[in-house]
Amino acid sequence: MQQRILLITGWGGGTKLLSPLKQALQQQGGQVELINIFNAFDEQILQQHVELAKQFDVIVGWSLGGQLAALLVDQIEQQYAARKVLITLASNPCFVANDAWQTAMAHLSFQQFKQSFEQDAIATLKKFGYMVCQGVKSTKADFITLQSLIQPQQIQLLKQGLNLLEQLNVADILKNYQGQKYYLLAQQDALVSCKVIENLQNLNTKFLDVDLISGSHGFPVFHAEETSDKIFQYLKKIKQTS
């Protein structure tokens, strides 16, 4: 099944983290392009990514990348009346809690994280990397693997990414988007609680499938083949029902 897939990484580590997933998707017949996070609050940059994304069938994003993927499918539908398949991995539609979406990181915790990043970006990135790996027996080994894959990022892009995490809420996009949507969450995720499933189900939106996988927030990095299998099982399912 030849699928053109745009894969968007998460905050903080660069595209190399999802190279194993890209390879796994390619081995199953996907044509995959892997890109980094981008500042979606800049209209010109967002539009450039819309033009790129419209060339693909499936838009997949990990964590912040999942929120960006939701923005892209929404823009493509609005501008071109085309519907792409949206798949997100360990992604919360709203990363920082508010009155309408409380299953997320506490606002104070996020502010402390941002402040920590301002004071010591390298130490804070390391701490964040550990949180990505937390919740499973293999945390320490996974953290070593993660460190080997992380690429240095521009501080400006990381700051823009934190602003996106703080302010983005794509719940309304999910509720209104008429394309196929698949949210894959991890049971032991220390950053995005799998309880988000209840929030997603409460949206009462059409064409939304939600699934659980065993693992930490970093499951797309450490369980690339299983993640790829889940993605292609879903794509096969919606093809059979369409």
Side-chain angles (χ1 to χ4, degrees):
M1 182 169 56
Q2 192 72 35
Q3 293 276 359
R4 290 169 299 169
I5 301 169
L6 181 64
L7 182 58
I8 310 169
T9 193
W11 181 84
T15 53
K16 203 174 169 186
L17 287 170
L18 289 190
S19 289
L21 178 57
K22 178 185 177 182
Q23 288 167 5
L25 291 166
Q26 286 172 330
Q27 282 167 1
Q28 296 204 49
Q31 284 185 339
V32 188
E33 183 166 336
L34 172 56
I35 63 169
N36 204 359
I37 59 165
F38 54 90
N39 182 16
F41 289 148
D42 182 314
E43 286 184 20
Q44 194 175 355
I45 290 173
L46 176 61
Q47 190 57 36
Q48 286 169 358
H49 284 82
V50 170
E51 297 302 323
L52 170 69
K54 72 175 185 179
Q55 302 168 43
F56 294 83
D57 307 306
V58 185
I59 317 295
V60 183
W62 173 37
S63 197
L64 172 58
Q67 291 176 290
L68 295 172
L71 285 180
L72 291 178
V73 298
D74 179 55
Q75 285 295 314
I76 291 166
E77 184 180 43
Q78 285 185 40
Q79 294 181 36
Y80 299 101
R83 288 177 188 151
K84 307 297 182 180
V85 178
L86 169 65
I87 297 178
T88 79
L89 313 170
S91 185
N92 196 335
C94 184
F95 189 76
V96 179
N98 59 40
D99 291 342
W101 196 276
Q102 295 188 1
T103 312
M105 185 180 279
H107 187 259
L108 181 60
S109 300
F110 189 81
Q111 289 306 315
Q112 289 168 342
F113 182 82
K114 254 181 104 172
Q115 199 172 3
S116 169
F117 183 78
E118 290 285 344
Q119 290 164 355
D120 190 339
I122 292 170
T124 307
L125 279 167
K126 206 165 186 179
K127 181 183 171 186
F128 179 76
Y130 195 77
M131 290 168 76
V132 167
C133 306
Q134 262 181 321
V136 292
K137 289 178 182 175
S138 56
T139 293
K140 287 183 179 176
D142 288 349
F143 182 60
I144 292 167
T145 302
L146 190 86
Q147 291 297 303
S148 72
L149 292 170
I150 283 175
Q151 300 158 292
Q153 301 292 295
Q154 290 181 345
I155 289 290
Q156 187 61 27
L157 179 64
L158 292 172
K159 285 181 178 177
Q160 290 165 352
L162 286 177
N163 288 335
L164 289 163
L165 283 170
E166 184 176 18
Q167 296 172 45
L168 275 182
N169 184 349
V170 298
D172 283 345
I173 287 176
L174 290 184
K175 193 168 186 175
N176 298 318
Y177 184 57
Q178 294 299 300
Q180 298 284 352
K181 306 171 283 282
Y182 179 52
Y183 265 66
L184 184 57
L185 297 156
Q187 285 172 325
Q188 292 85 18
D189 195 327
L191 280 167
V192 175
S193 169
C194 61
K195 290 178 182 175
V196 167
I197 283 181
E198 292 169 28
N199 297 55
L200 291 166
Q201 289 167 340
N202 288 339
L203 290 174
N204 290 324
T205 180
K206 288 182 181 176
F207 315 117
L208 173 64
D209 283 68
V210 186
D211 203 358
L212 263 182
I213 195 168
S214 180
S216 66
H217 190 72
F219 75 83
V221 182
F222 310 119
H223 304 290
E225 287 185 13
E226 191 182 348
T227 305
S228 178
D229 286 345
K230 286 275 192 187
I231 288 170
F232 271 92
Q233 282 165 16
Y234 171 73
L235 293 174
K236 195 173 180 181
K237 179 185 140 186
I238 60 171
K239 192 176 184 185
Q240 286 170 348
T241 55
S242 61

